[in-house]
Amino acid sequence: MVVKIIMVILYLGVVGYLGFLGYKNTKTTKDYLIGGRKIHPAVMALSYGATFISTSAIIGFGGTAGVFGFSLLWLTFLNIFLGVFIAFVVFGKRTRKMGHNMEAHTFPEFLGKRYNSKFIQKFAGVVIFLFMPVYTAAVMIGASKFIEGSLNIDYNVALFFFAAIVAAYVFFGGLKGVMYSDAFQGTIMFIGMSILVIAIYSKLGGITAAHQKLTDLFSNPAIADQIKGLQGGGFQGWTALPALFSKYWWIVVSSIVMGVGIGVLAQPQLAVRFMTVKSDRELNRAIPIGGMFILMMTGVAFLVGAMSNVLFFQESGQIAVVAAKGTDGIMSLFLNNFMPEWFVSVFLVVLLAAGMSTISSQLHAVGTAVGRDLFNTEGKTEKKAMLITRLGVLIAIIFTVFLAYWLPTVWDGAIAISTGLFFGLCGAAFLPMYFAALFSKKISKVAAISGMLSGFSASMLWMMFFHSKESTVLKVCELIFGKPMLVADGVLQFVDPIFIALTLSILVTVIVAAATKSKFEDKHIEACFNGIGK
Amino acid sequence: MLGISDLSISLAYILCIASALLCLIYGIIMWNKGGGDAEEIEMAEEAKWQEKENIIDGKL
């Protein structure tokens, strides 16, 4: 206990010092520019990684892998291939150039300027302001659950403790986006996860042997009773995909793999990072480190979450989800039961790092959405602009803490659900128009707006009336139709909103684009695409 | 394969490592590309962009 507290204080001290150092050294524009060009790409990539991978991915999705097993590795593959490789090579380079051409500083501003539409900018700003806290809450729940388990304190106390640290961090410099403290956090995460993967494979006798034990566990008669319920949903073991088109298959494929794996491409806090990069060379150099980093984060979390079943069974005869009484507690219980205490202390710091680096950038996105996209603070006095932005961030923090307090009481697996919800919503509303903005000179404003609105409304409607996970909590369907979801038979209630909404918004964008003519002046298009596609 | 019962899962396992390697190889090959001759112009462009970014950041 004492070791853990000392570790946490030490860590917070280093992060605070690095933040102060970075802040002090980058005062003028010139300092920032030259410093930026000299920054080692490893620092840059680690800072990307630390922002993208959060406690949500490690604790929430790691726990989810305790139930769905290795099938989640498809998500890791998409995270690396789409989330890093395609995102940087295909989206990143164009976003960077076009963002600079148009002088865009936020994701909503990027879309708004490209389509010459204040409406798009404000709409995207509202979506971020209202829904980003859901994702931020997921990250907060992950960290607090872990603090609860490792320090043996009440969840609400842990939540308060963590929220207070994060709020202080964000207000005193976290928003400056200092790369060095992000990179330090990324390094800690990398080391922690490396130790974890070596530990679990050696505990279980090597790679193939460990996988074989997990495969064999499924057919062990001793757990037959425990997995009966899971099997009803299509579960076929931890090293197999759920049965095709079964309930679990839809959850794994549509919510987790598609929702998070594809939704990542239209994440506002990710897209905006591309614009802050100095040149394509920095993007090129960030790719290898980013790819390896994601592999070590989500890849290891999913492997460990799944294989923890074998260790839990050996110890208590129970599978992970039974032993931890739900998915969100699996990783925490696993670490506390099977890893030495010093490692749990290290991991506590890893998770604080993962949570803080992500939350600070999420709140940064909310702050800019309020200060720049919703209320145009340009031209207003410095004081007034700061007040509006800070007020926006403050409201977001309060809303986030409320969600982090309330959501775990209504959802098991709240972390994975709320992350998927935000990723899915962003993917459905913004991905087609974002893609078209980068690659089509002919798309019309009408087509972009139709795609965005259809994706957003389809997502919302599906959540309110069809997808049981959200509809039972939102209660809109209950209120209007007197039942928790419209279609309770069959698998429709497990089909994720992104599956329906993204398909629809792609179709709408394409059809309307074909039917309408772009009214943008050639000059505007040329200015946007200046230096692109040479 | 690899002690995994389902072929599609073994495939995912391998693809994870393969795509991380792809990132690694791409980065090594492209390490010095993309800085280019346009550096001067880009510097000016960035300075302008960065100035605005600093103002916005300052407000935060």
Side-chain angles (χ1 to χ4, degrees):
Chain A
M1 181 79 173
V2 180
V3 183
K4 285 173 192 164
I5 292 171
I6 293 173
M7 287 286 286
V8 171
I9 293 171
L10 211 70
Y11 157 78
L12 290 175
V14 174
V15 169
Y17 178 69
L18 285 173
F20 172 72
L21 216 67
Y23 173 61
K24 213 178 78 183
N25 290 337
T26 53
K27 272 197 173 149
T28 68
T29 310
K30 206 175 159 203
D31 278 347
Y32 195 99
L33 253 184
I34 293 169
R37 282 193 175 271
K38 278 188 187 159
I39 280 184
H40 198 277
V43 172
M44 195 164 292
L46 281 172
S47 129
Y48 275 126
T51 309
F52 303 152
I53 298 300
S54 61
T55 41
S56 153
I58 298 170
I59 296 290
F61 285 80
T64 310
V67 175
F68 296 124
F70 284 180
S71 48
L72 259 69
L73 286 175
W74 279 106
L75 174 59
T76 301
F77 166 63
L78 287 183
N79 277 337
I80 301 172
F81 188 69
L82 282 183
V84 175
F85 191 76
I86 299 294
F88 278 57
V89 176
V90 180
F91 285 71
K93 292 181 179 177
R94 279 182 182 241
T95 306
R96 189 190 75 78
K97 189 75 189 140
M98 201 177 273
H100 284 208
N101 287 347
M102 301 183 304
E103 291 236 0
H105 293 263
T106 67
F107 184 63
E109 192 183 14
F110 177 90
L111 295 174
K113 283 200 167 164
R114 167 64 180 81
Y115 289 113
N116 218 342
S117 159
K118 279 264 172 252
F119 171 73
I120 291 179
Q121 185 176 354
K122 287 206 190 308
F123 187 86
V126 171
V127 170
I128 292 171
F129 179 65
L130 289 181
F131 293 95
M132 183 70 92
V134 179
Y135 176 31
T136 314
V139 180
M140 233 176 230
I141 297 168
S144 309
K145 282 261 177 205
F146 190 75
I147 297 171
E148 175 192 22
S150 63
L151 293 183
N152 249 331
I153 51 175
D154 182 60
Y155 171 79
N156 291 333
V157 177
L159 174 64
F160 177 77
F161 166 74
F162 184 67
I165 293 181
V166 168
Y169 175 68
V170 167
F171 272 101
F172 300 110
L175 281 184
K176 294 280 174 194
V178 181
M179 290 227 186
Y180 284 104
S181 53
D182 268 1
F184 169 67
Q185 292 170 334
T187 312
I188 295 182
M189 289 160 73
F190 200 91
I191 295 171
M193 295 306 271
S194 307
I195 297 174
L196 194 56
V197 73
I198 295 170
I200 192 148
Y201 273 132
S202 59
K203 261 184 209 288
L204 293 174
I207 295 176
T208 308
H211 297 167
Q212 194 60 53
K213 278 178 188 157
L214 187 61
T215 305
D216 296 343
L217 182 64
F218 175 64
S219 43
N220 192 326
I223 60 156
D225 277 345
Q226 297 178 46
I227 58 170
K228 215 175 236 163
L230 296 176
Q231 279 175 306
F235 179 72
Q236 304 192 96
W238 290 276
T239 57
L241 270 178
L244 196 66
F245 302 131
S246 65
K247 172 183 163 185
Y248 285 161
W249 186 87
W250 278 107
I251 293 178
V252 168
V253 174
S254 76
S255 293
I256 300 174
V257 175
M258 270 192 73
V260 180
I262 297 175
V264 73
L265 285 172
Q267 283 278 293
Q269 76 278 24
L270 182 142
V272 84
R273 283 271 164 149
F274 296 136
M275 296 191 269
T276 61
V277 170
K278 302 303 161 209
S279 76
D280 282 358
R281 189 173 57 192
E282 267 62 43
L283 288 177
N284 287 338
R285 292 181 179 185
I287 291 169
I289 301 148
M292 297 306 283
F293 188 81
I294 304 287
L295 179 71
M296 288 307 292
M297 294 298 127
T298 68
V300 169
F302 300 162
L303 290 176
V304 169
M307 289 191 287
S308 72
N309 281 292
V310 179
L311 290 169
F312 278 120
F313 176 73
Q314 286 172 353
E315 186 196 55
S316 63
Q318 291 178 321
I319 59 171
V321 67
V322 175
K325 301 184 184 71
T327 56
D328 284 351
I330 290 178
M331 290 301 275
S332 166
L333 190 71
F334 163 79
L335 289 159
N336 285 305
N337 284 13
F338 301 107
M339 296 298 286
E341 197 184 339
W342 67 266
F343 182 79
V344 182
S345 324
V346 171
F347 210 79
L348 181 64
V349 169
V350 168
L351 286 178
L352 279 180
M356 281 164 64
S357 53
T358 305
I359 290 176
S360 67
S361 73
Q362 290 170 327
L363 291 175
H364 185 268
V366 174
T368 51
V370 173
R372 198 162 168 86
D373 301 319
L374 287 182
F375 305 96
N376 195 352
T377 52
E378 242 174 322
K380 291 214 173 79
T381 59
E382 199 89 326
K383 230 178 166 181
K384 204 170 174 194
M386 205 166 84
L387 194 74
I388 293 176
T389 309
R390 290 233 155 155
L391 211 65
V393 174
L394 191 70
I395 294 171
I397 291 181
I398 294 171
F399 187 35
T400 300
V401 174
F402 165 73
L403 286 173
Y405 166 76
W406 175 64
L407 287 178
T409 62
V410 291
W411 279 334
D412 174 39
I415 306 173
I417 301 172
S418 4
T419 306
L421 191 151
F422 182 74
F423 275 53
L425 198 62
C426 282
F430 304 131
L431 190 55
M433 72 180 313
Y434 177 40
F435 185 82
L438 295 173
F439 292 95
S440 165
K441 292 182 180 176
K442 289 195 182 123
I443 181 154
S444 64
K445 189 196 286 191
V446 186
I449 294 179
S450 325
M452 176 178 82
L453 291 181
S454 61
F456 178 80
S457 29
S459 244
M460 292 307 290
L461 289 174
W462 198 261
M463 279 184 225
M464 285 191 275
F465 297 105
F466 292 95
H467 198 230
S468 56
K469 278 271 188 228
E470 290 94 10
S471 70
T472 43
V473 174
L474 295 171
K475 297 206 181 337
V476 181
C477 192
E478 184 83 56
L479 224 67
I480 301 175
F481 298 103
K483 49 187 174 181
M485 63 225 120
L486 284 182
V487 188
D489 307 325
V491 292
L492 208 60
Q493 53 169 316
F494 305 113
V495 177
D496 194 80
I498 195 175
F499 193 79
I500 308 292
L502 181 61
T503 315
L504 185 77
S505 75
I506 291 174
L507 279 177
V508 169
T509 311
V510 170
I511 292 170
V512 179
T516 53
K517 230 175 127 59
S518 160
K519 287 180 189 150
F520 295 121
E521 287 175 19
D522 288 346
K523 217 169 72 190
H524 173 73
I525 296 296
E526 266 167 39
C528 291
F529 280 87
N530 179 27
I532 291 175
K534 275 185 295 195
Chain B
M1 198 169 32
L2 292 164
I4 295 170
S5 56
D6 187 337
L7 210 69
S8 72
I9 303 291
S10 320
L11 186 67
Y13 193 95
I14 293 164
L15 279 175
C16 285
I17 295 168
S19 55
L21 285 177
L22 172 75
C23 289
L24 198 67
I25 293 165
Y26 180 89
I28 292 169
I29 293 173
M30 303 290 283
W31 194 257
N32 275 320
K33 294 189 181 142
D37 316 322
E39 198 138 324
E40 286 296 305
I41 310 163
E42 295 225 335
M43 275 293 262
E45 199 181 273
E46 278 156 24
K48 214 169 123 200
W49 187 89
Q50 193 60 55
E51 230 161 79
K52 222 170 183 185
E53 178 79 5
N54 283 0
I55 295 169
I56 298 163
D57 254 10
K59 284 181 185 167
L60 293 171

